[in-house]
Amino acid sequence: NEVIGKELETRISNAIESLSPQCQTVFRLSRFENLTYNEISGKMGISVKTVENHMIKALKTLRVELKEYLPLILLLLWFKNVN
């Protein structure tokens, strides 16, 4: 599980790093710092619509990059909930 988890973590990091710098920032603020779109907009000085567009792009990129790992992600989540 640990090896698989590290591989998945690397893939997620690579997918995030493939985004434009502004898109990465929006994604990290939203997902890792739990900021709202309004908070991100104010912090970055961009419109809420731009924040939304960056999130759409980021999530689409992650979906495409990680689609082959979906069964693995579900399995890891299941194991985490069982233990």
Side-chain angles (χ1 to χ4, degrees):
N1 281 344
E2 189 173 322
V3 171
I4 293 169
K6 288 196 182 286
E7 171 67 20
L8 184 56
E9 187 177 312
T10 299
R11 286 292 200 136
I12 291 170
S13 292
N14 289 343
I16 293 170
E17 289 173 12
S18 74
L19 302 169
S20 70
Q22 192 173 42
C23 192
Q24 283 183 44
T25 301
V26 168
F27 181 80
R28 290 176 197 277
L29 290 172
S30 174
R31 295 302 191 239
F32 301 142
E33 296 186 28
N34 299 314
L35 296 182
T36 66
Y37 288 3
N38 284 333
E39 292 170 329
I40 295 168
S41 171
K43 185 172 186 154
M44 294 182 68
I46 58 178
S47 72
V48 173
K49 187 66 177 170
T50 300
V51 172
E52 290 173 2
N53 288 336
H54 280 306
M55 284 303 297
I56 289 168
K57 181 178 181 177
L59 293 173
K60 181 179 179 183
T61 298
L62 287 170
R63 248 190 324 273
V64 169
E65 293 293 323
L66 302 173
K67 70 180 176 186
E68 64 194 48
Y69 286 88
L70 182 58
L72 178 59
I73 293 168
L74 295 174
L75 184 62
L76 288 173
L77 290 173
W78 183 77
F79 276 122
K80 184 177 180 179
N81 288 332
V82 169
N83 294 329

